Amino acid sequence: MVEPKKEKKERDFSQWYDWILERAEIYDYGRYPIKGMGIWLPYGFQIRKKTIDLIRDLLDSTGHEEILFPLLIPKWMLEKESEHIRGFEEEVFWVTHGGLEELDQKLALRPTSETIITYYESLWYQSYRQLPRKLYQIVSMFRYETKATRPLIRLREVTTFKEAHTIHDTFESAEQQIKEAIDIYKKFFDELGIPYIISKRPDWDKFAGALYTIAFDTMMPDGRTLQIGTVHNLGQSFSKAFNYKIQLKDESFDHPWQTSYGISDRVVATIIGVHGDDNGLVLPPNIAPTQVIVIPIPSSDESETKSIIDYSRKILNELLESKVRAKIDDRSEMTPGEKYYYWEAKGVPVRIEIGSRELRTHNLTVVRRDTLSKITIGEKELINEINHIMNSIQNNLYERAWKDLKQKIYETDNLNEARQYLDKKGIVEIPWCGKESCANKVMESLGAKSLGTPWPSQKISGKKCPICGEKAQTTMRYARQY
Amino acid sequence: MVEPKKEKKERDFSQWYDWILERAEIYDYGRYPIKGMGIWLPYGFQIRKKTIDLIRDLLDSTGHEEILFPLLIPKWMLEKESEHIRGFEEEVFWVTHGGLEELDQKLALRPTSETIITYYESLWYQSYRQLPRKLYQIVSMFRYETKATRPLIRLREVTTFKEAHTIHDTFESAEQQIKEAIDIYKKFFDELGIPYIISKRPDWDKFAGALYTIAFDTMMPDGRTLQIGTVHNLGQSFSKAFNYKIQLKDESFDHPWQTSYGISDRVVATIIGVHGDDNGLVLPPNIAPTQVIVIPIPSSDESETKSIIDYSRKILNELLESKVRAKIDDRSEMTPGEKYYYWEAKGVPVRIEIGSRELRTHNLTVVRRDTLSKITIGEKELINEINHIMNSIQNNLYERAWKDLKQKIYETDNLNEARQYLDKKGIVEIPWCGKESCANKVMESLGAKSLGTPWPSQKISGKKCPICGEKAQTTMRYARQY
């Protein structure tokens, strides 16, 4: 298969990324007078919505229940879990006034909802019989980022924060939930064709208050990994902090166990970054707001042009009747070439070109966005062929993205080599003894950060930590990170 | 048709309303440590979602485009339109700190979005060729209410704020949009079976910054009207305030014209208040999360019970295959009676009871929630009959609610009579000369508020203003209001 050009994207990802957000009308960023906030434009909003629908379906079908908590959290509630608040206090936006009055308590804009949810769980669930419960909400979340912000990647208002929170009567049940959560996220990213590596974050980089954190990372075209999903086993930290106990099966009382897991706007950033090319966005058909664009090509003969447009509408209607999300672009003020350019930038998976020849032969010219290759299909086979092409695009995006990521993962115990791999926009896996001090030295030497250890955990043998020379327990992954 | 009991609801609506929110697990209110905010519980969330889906479909199918603006609005932007900020400044929540730092500008939690949208429209649209544009977003909106708060009726966080904003090159185009907006809202409330009266709000009660405001009001069971939708012709107030001009068809430049219209959480409050009865919620089938609940009735014979459950599952599957949102309640720890009570409170439109007789005869016992009447249907006719019953419920809810509202609207030019009508939980229409002072005197005398004049406007003749005795231009509506 022909691969479309990716030179600009690879050469200057950051510039390309900003260009595509604007060109494909996804997200208006950089003009809002508050740093780190932007506007979802209609086309971007539809991509976001279809993506949310995917994760919602996965959660609903596994017994998760959608809820909605208030945006504002009183300071005392956020402070209940002390590690947790230490992890967030420098990043919280505070509401201090209502109208012209000063409020009697400071209110935080939700940075995450573990505390508020635990508070309510303690009102709702008193017995193991009511558990497990799996709740989630899709909301805006706020972080007063001091680092440089980037649209959809590092924001002060994350508008697509899907946070799930579960509660269990036993540790084992919570552990089981972690597995389910990871499976759900795998399916989710698989449906988007986004490749990932799953790591157990090192202790020094886990979620504030958690026992441990499992993270999904993907690789952006600039060679930096992006965290796109996290799954936390919270243990009993929050239930203990709220002094919350439930009755267990054996009639004793204990603090319940909790997990939480989240997905953000970054999903859309990765759809753009991983699949896009120099012509613009490339959307997986399952989340493309428009899956097929029909473009009539006018003839020099006016009455023929009319027939071409009528025929194009007929094709459009057939697609719509078969539930294909199709549109026609019959704007008279644009040339076909301009239209190709326009819809390619928007990443529409399939283009059907209809001109004099197509009208005559009833064979349609189809261009697929992922490879920009042309295919001729007979009108009679329209729906079958279009569905076939969309499946093929879906699979191709998945496969080429996975292939690309796998090629970027290197194993070595040599730090010089590791540095070269990182320069080649890679991720390196280095034997690790398990000591934080050794990982720190590797990070410093590489100018990279630790992603964590592979999940599920892998025992390795016969390897040594390149820092202390002791026997390696596992491997640690390092990369340049967002 | 038998009408279910509404004694409690009518006698103490407020208490009944709180009971139903809890009993039907809609909205957890009154336990959150911030006044005027609550939690959408899973069942309530689904009702809210289905309701949002309805309005979204109506807006999408009329060319409205969904977008998403930031929650936070800088103070200077909100202040651009001076009347507008005067209307809101006492009701705004202010963010003043990020982390441990004081922000260099105060940020408002969105009370409404006219200013921020006008700011962006001025960046996006410079020519009449780009207009009209119709944008909308569904978001949380904040008001620091000083009045008594009520769940879903008067909140400090309104989580279901659907605000549409349109922009036009001519006044006529904006006027046309007002008509479309009103039509959309009519359809929306009709689909929910919520009756309404449409009034042009008096000038002293219009939206801050608007030329005029058209409002939809409905009547709650306690005899107070509730504003459930508003449509504003904003004229050029905001485009002038932002010094924003577009090029017109004749190549001159002028400020564009705008409208905005909104719907809130109150929609769900009215679904509860208008349709509910003493047994709980009564949901219109089109927004019921569960449309049909199948309840197997165990027999004393264990093997027969097993057959009943198997048969119930078969019925359930037939319903699901026909896209009916059905569930089975086969919990063993509850009696059928307890289950009836449980699902009636949740307002599930149709219940199918399956016991020994139903198993034997293949005739199913069906209870419709709106009338609590029993119907026997043959298994072979299952899908047709269930769809027929759901349509009938949908229509019955609509008709009885409209009948009820119409009976509560009284015309009189006698203030004593008007007072009696208000005491009978009515709305009164009184001839009006058009002077604010006279309307004020009527309001004072009645202890009621003016809803405005009927829309579309009606000329009346031969009537006199009961205050000044001058010729009445129109009628003014008065009611006790939320």
Side-chain angles (χ1 to χ4, degrees):
Chain A
M1 268 183 193
V2 189
E3 294 289 314
K5 280 192 303 174
K6 294 192 294 186
E7 291 160 24
K8 253 191 285 178
K9 169 177 151 181
E10 305 271 312
R11 209 167 50 230
D12 188 345
F13 171 68
S14 179
Q15 199 186 338
W16 175 89
Y17 181 74
D18 289 343
W19 165 78
I20 205 171
L21 287 179
E22 188 182 334
R23 173 89 194 124
E25 299 176 290
I26 297 169
Y27 193 70
D28 192 311
Y29 191 77
R31 307 199 276 189
Y32 195 60
I34 307 176
K35 187 183 158 188
M37 298 181 186
I39 289 94
W40 283 100
L41 299 170
Y43 193 69
F45 189 90
Q46 290 305 319
I47 295 170
R48 172 182 179 271
K49 184 170 181 292
K50 296 255 176 307
T51 307
I52 289 175
D53 287 347
L54 275 189
I55 188 76
R56 181 176 271 144
D57 283 351
L58 285 166
L59 292 168
D60 290 347
S61 67
T62 47
H64 291 73
E65 298 175 287
E66 193 164 0
I67 49 162
L68 186 57
F69 275 90
L71 169 77
L72 299 175
I73 304 177
K75 187 165 183 276
W76 66 262
M77 196 185 277
L78 200 63
E79 280 173 344
K80 271 277 183 178
E81 213 286 330
S82 58
E83 257 184 70
H84 188 64
I85 185 65
R86 273 202 299 281
F88 285 107
E89 67 181 345
E90 299 196 0
E91 294 189 350
V92 170
F93 280 98
W94 293 106
V95 174
T96 58
H97 288 73
L100 308 171
E101 291 173 29
E102 185 164 356
L103 299 174
D104 55 8
Q105 57 178 346
K106 278 168 85 175
L107 308 176
L109 300 192
R110 161 200 309 123
T112 177
S113 302
E114 278 72 16
T115 53
I116 179 171
I117 281 181
T118 304
Y119 174 79
Y120 271 92
E121 285 171 336
S122 76
L123 299 174
W124 295 333
Y125 315 128
Q126 279 80 46
S127 160
Y128 76 96
R129 282 199 183 84
Q130 296 170 281
L131 306 187
R133 286 298 281 255
K134 312 183 224 175
L135 305 172
Y136 75 102
Q137 61 177 6
I138 303 171
V139 291
S140 276
M141 169 265 270
F142 292 80
R143 300 272 167 89
Y144 185 68
E145 286 288 349
T146 47
K147 296 183 198 169
T149 57
R150 292 283 295 135
L152 308 186
I153 291 175
R154 191 175 299 281
L155 291 169
R156 288 184 169 185
E157 178 177 17
V158 175
T159 61
T160 317
F161 184 47
K162 188 287 298 168
E163 50 175 333
H165 299 266
T166 73
I167 177 162
H168 308 263
D169 59 343
T170 64
F171 174 73
E172 290 69 29
S173 172
E175 283 288 278
Q176 200 49 47
Q177 192 56 40
I178 297 288
K179 290 198 182 100
E180 182 181 270
I182 291 170
D183 280 345
I184 289 169
Y185 284 2
K186 278 180 172 178
K187 277 187 196 145
F188 175 59
F189 291 117
D190 287 349
E191 289 192 38
L192 296 169
I194 304 294
Y196 45 81
I197 55 169
I198 307 176
S199 308
K200 185 175 177 181
R201 285 274 184 268
D203 267 357
W204 58 87
D205 199 23
K206 67 186 181 186
F207 180 74
L211 287 184
Y212 65 85
T213 291
I214 307 291
F216 284 66
D217 295 288
T218 195
M219 177 58 93
M220 292 299 261
D222 58 357
R224 287 197 282 170
T225 59
L226 184 65
Q227 172 177 300
I228 50 175
T230 48
V231 180
H232 316 292
N233 189 327
L234 302 173
Q236 298 171 303
S237 314
F238 290 90
S239 59
K240 280 182 179 165
F242 279 84
N243 201 14
Y244 164 34
K245 288 185 177 180
I246 54 158
Q247 187 160 34
L248 301 179
K249 205 164 186 173
D250 66 4
E251 300 198 335
S252 70
F253 286 83
D254 195 12
H255 305 287
W257 303 80
Q258 293 170 300
T259 82
S260 69
Y261 30 105
I263 292 285
S264 77
D265 287 335
R266 287 182 171 185
V267 177
V268 178
T270 60
I271 294 168
I272 297 168
V274 169
H275 299 310
D277 64 26
D278 278 8
N279 297 312
L281 207 56
V282 179
L283 291 177
N286 59 353
I287 55 138
T290 302
Q291 296 172 314
V292 176
I293 184 75
V294 178
I295 299 185
I297 302 165
S299 132
S300 51
D301 173 350
E302 211 171 291
S303 85
E304 194 183 46
T305 297
K306 205 182 155 300
S307 302
I308 288 169
I309 291 178
D310 287 346
Y311 183 56
S312 299
R313 292 234 173 85
K314 178 174 165 277
I315 296 296
L316 173 73
N317 285 334
E318 273 186 55
L319 292 165
L320 292 174
E321 272 164 31
S322 296
K323 307 280 176 210
V324 176
R325 296 191 290 272
K327 274 193 177 172
I328 189 166
D329 186 350
D330 54 7
R331 287 178 284 184
S332 57
E333 71 276 19
M334 281 172 88
T335 66
E338 285 168 339
K339 292 178 186 177
Y340 301 163
Y341 183 59
Y342 178 87
W343 293 105
E344 277 172 12
K346 287 200 184 276
V348 172
V350 177
R351 174 170 86 230
I352 303 183
E353 304 172 359
I354 301 180
S356 306
R357 201 183 53 207
E358 286 78 12
L359 178 67
R360 210 170 51 241
T361 62
H362 287 225
N363 285 322
L364 307 174
T365 302
V366 173
V367 181
R368 48 188 282 178
R369 178 65 187 87
D370 59 336
T371 58
L372 297 175
S373 55
K374 280 199 181 190
I375 307 154
T376 302
I377 62 172
E379 185 198 329
K380 286 190 182 157
E381 294 303 313
L382 177 69
I383 301 301
N384 277 345
E385 287 289 334
I386 291 295
N387 282 325
H388 174 76
I389 290 168
M390 289 204 292
N391 277 335
S392 169
I393 293 172
Q394 193 78 32
N395 291 334
N396 181 40
L397 292 183
Y398 174 92
E399 277 162 23
R400 76 185 189 191
W402 266 104
K403 192 177 149 206
D404 196 44
L405 177 66
K406 282 183 182 158
Q407 285 173 348
K408 287 176 176 163
I409 302 172
Y410 304 93
E411 278 184 55
T412 181
D413 56 6
N414 178 313
L415 295 188
N416 281 330
E417 230 175 75
R419 227 169 283 117
Q420 287 163 21
Y421 292 141
L422 290 173
D423 288 341
K424 281 166 68 182
K425 303 183 176 177
I427 297 164
V428 290
E429 299 186 337
I430 297 175
W432 183 46
C433 60
K435 289 197 295 286
E436 184 172 347
S437 58
C438 287
N440 277 334
K441 279 178 191 155
V442 175
M443 284 197 269
E444 208 173 294
S445 158
L446 298 180
K449 275 185 147 180
S450 54
L451 295 179
T453 55
W455 191 94
S457 64
Q458 296 156 1
K459 287 271 165 222
I460 64 168
S461 61
K463 302 260 167 132
K464 286 180 180 169
C465 174
I467 302 295
C468 67
E470 280 175 29
K471 202 181 150 217
Q473 307 294 322
T474 179
T475 55
M476 175 64 93
R477 290 169 172 156
Y478 300 88
R480 302 205 170 114
Q481 276 177 281
Y482 265 95
Chain B
M1 266 181 192
V2 189
E3 295 287 315
K5 280 192 304 173
K6 295 192 296 187
E7 290 160 25
K8 253 191 288 178
K9 170 177 151 182
E10 305 271 313
R11 207 168 50 231
D12 189 345
F13 172 67
S14 179
Q15 200 187 339
W16 174 89
Y17 182 74
D18 289 344
W19 165 78
I20 206 170
L21 287 178
E22 189 182 334
R23 173 89 194 125
E25 299 177 287
I26 297 169
Y27 193 71
D28 192 312
Y29 191 78
R31 307 200 277 189
Y32 196 61
I34 307 176
K35 187 184 157 188
M37 299 181 185
I39 290 94
W40 283 99
L41 299 170
Y43 193 69
F45 189 89
Q46 290 306 318
I47 295 171
R48 172 182 178 272
K49 184 169 181 295
K50 295 258 178 306
T51 307
I52 289 175
D53 287 347
L54 274 189
I55 188 77
R56 182 176 270 144
D57 284 351
L58 285 166
L59 291 168
D60 289 348
S61 67
T62 47
H64 291 74
E65 299 175 287
E66 193 165 358
I67 49 163
L68 186 57
F69 275 90
L71 170 76
L72 299 175
I73 305 178
K75 187 164 183 277
W76 66 263
M77 196 184 278
L78 199 63
E79 281 172 344
K80 271 276 183 179
E81 213 286 330
S82 58
E83 259 184 68
H84 187 65
I85 185 66
R86 272 201 302 279
F88 286 107
E89 69 181 343
E90 297 197 0
E91 294 189 349
V92 170
F93 281 98
W94 293 106
V95 174
T96 58
H97 287 74
L100 308 171
E101 291 173 30
E102 185 166 354
L103 299 174
D104 54 10
Q105 56 178 346
K106 278 168 84 176
L107 307 176
L109 300 192
R110 160 200 310 124
T112 178
S113 302
E114 278 74 14
T115 53
I116 180 172
I117 282 182
T118 304
Y119 175 78
Y120 271 93
E121 284 171 337
S122 77
L123 299 173
W124 295 334
Y125 315 128
Q126 280 79 46
S127 160
Y128 76 95
R129 282 199 183 83
Q130 295 171 283
L131 305 188
R133 286 299 281 257
K134 312 183 225 176
L135 306 172
Y136 74 101
Q137 62 177 6
I138 302 170
V139 291
S140 276
M141 170 265 270
F142 293 81
R143 301 272 167 91
Y144 185 67
E145 286 288 350
T146 46
K147 295 183 198 170
T149 57
R150 293 283 294 133
L152 308 186
I153 291 176
R154 190 176 300 282
L155 292 168
R156 287 184 171 185
E157 178 177 18
V158 175
T159 62
T160 317
F161 184 47
K162 187 287 299 166
E163 50 174 333
H165 298 266
T166 73
I167 177 164
H168 308 264
D169 59 344
T170 63
F171 174 73
E172 290 69 32
S173 172
E175 282 287 278
Q176 198 51 45
Q177 192 56 40
I178 296 289
K179 290 200 183 99
E180 182 181 90
I182 291 171
D183 280 346
I184 289 169
Y185 285 2
K186 279 181 174 179
K187 276 186 197 148
F188 175 59
F189 291 117
D190 287 350
E191 289 192 39
L192 296 168
I194 304 295
Y196 45 80
I197 54 169
I198 307 176
S199 308
K200 184 174 177 183
R201 286 272 186 268
D203 268 357
W204 58 87
D205 200 23
K206 66 187 183 185
F207 181 73
L211 287 185
Y212 65 85
T213 291
I214 307 291
F216 284 66
D217 295 287
T218 196
M219 176 58 90
M220 292 298 262
D222 59 356
R224 287 197 282 169
T225 58
L226 185 66
Q227 171 177 301
I228 50 176
T230 48
V231 180
H232 315 293
N233 189 328
L234 302 173
Q236 297 171 304
S237 313
F238 290 89
S239 59
K240 280 182 179 166
F242 279 83
N243 200 15
Y244 164 34
K245 287 185 178 180
I246 55 158
Q247 187 162 33
L248 302 179
K249 206 164 186 176
D250 66 4
E251 301 198 336
S252 70
F253 286 83
D254 195 12
H255 305 287
W257 302 80
Q258 293 170 301
T259 81
S260 69
Y261 30 105
I263 292 284
S264 78
D265 287 334
R266 289 184 170 182
V267 178
V268 179
T270 60
I271 294 168
I272 298 168
V274 169
H275 299 311
D277 64 26
D278 278 8
N279 297 311
L281 207 56
V282 179
L283 292 176
N286 61 353
I287 54 140
T290 303
Q291 296 172 312
V292 176
I293 184 73
V294 178
I295 300 186
I297 301 165
S299 132
S300 52
D301 173 351
E302 212 171 289
S303 86
E304 194 183 44
T305 296
K306 206 181 154 302
S307 302
I308 288 170
I309 290 176
D310 288 346
Y311 182 56
S312 300
R313 291 234 172 85
K314 179 175 165 278
I315 296 296
L316 173 74
N317 286 334
E318 272 186 55
L319 292 166
L320 292 174
E321 273 163 30
S322 298
K323 306 282 177 210
V324 175
R325 297 191 291 270
K327 274 193 177 170
I328 190 166
D329 187 349
D330 54 6
R331 287 178 284 185
S332 56
E333 71 276 19
M334 279 171 91
T335 66
E338 286 168 338
K339 291 177 187 178
Y340 301 163
Y341 183 60
Y342 179 87
W343 293 104
E344 276 173 12
K346 287 199 183 273
V348 172
V350 177
R351 174 169 87 228
I352 303 183
E353 304 173 358
I354 301 180
S356 306
R357 199 184 54 206
E358 286 77 12
L359 178 66
R360 208 170 53 241
T361 61
H362 287 224
N363 285 323
L364 307 174
T365 302
V366 173
V367 181
R368 49 188 282 179
R369 178 65 186 87
D370 59 338
T371 57
L372 298 175
S373 54
K374 280 200 181 189
I375 308 154
T376 303
I377 62 173
E379 185 197 328
K380 286 190 181 156
E381 294 303 314
L382 176 69
I383 300 303
N384 277 345
E385 287 288 336
I386 292 294
N387 282 326
H388 174 75
I389 291 168
M390 289 204 293
N391 278 334
S392 169
I393 294 173
Q394 193 78 33
N395 292 333
N396 181 39
L397 293 183
Y398 174 91
E399 276 162 23
R400 75 185 190 193
W402 266 104
K403 192 177 147 203
D404 197 42
L405 177 65
K406 281 183 183 159
Q407 285 173 348
K408 287 176 176 163
I409 301 172
Y410 304 94
E411 276 182 57
T412 181
D413 56 5
N414 178 314
L415 295 189
N416 280 330
E417 229 175 77
R419 227 169 281 118
Q420 286 165 23
Y421 292 140
L422 290 173
D423 288 342
K424 282 165 69 181
K425 302 183 176 178
I427 296 164
V428 289
E429 298 186 338
I430 296 175
W432 183 46
C433 60
K435 290 196 295 285
E436 184 173 347
S437 58
C438 287
N440 277 334
K441 280 178 191 156
V442 174
M443 284 196 270
E444 210 173 292
S445 160
L446 298 181
K449 274 184 147 181
S450 53
L451 293 179
T453 55
W455 190 96
S457 63
Q458 296 156 1
K459 288 272 167 219
I460 63 166
S461 61
K463 303 255 169 141
K464 286 178 181 171
C465 172
I467 302 296
C468 68
E470 281 175 29
K471 204 181 148 214
Q473 307 293 322
T474 178
T475 56
M476 176 63 94
R477 290 168 171 156
Y478 299 87
R480 302 209 169 110
Q481 275 177 283
Y482 267 95

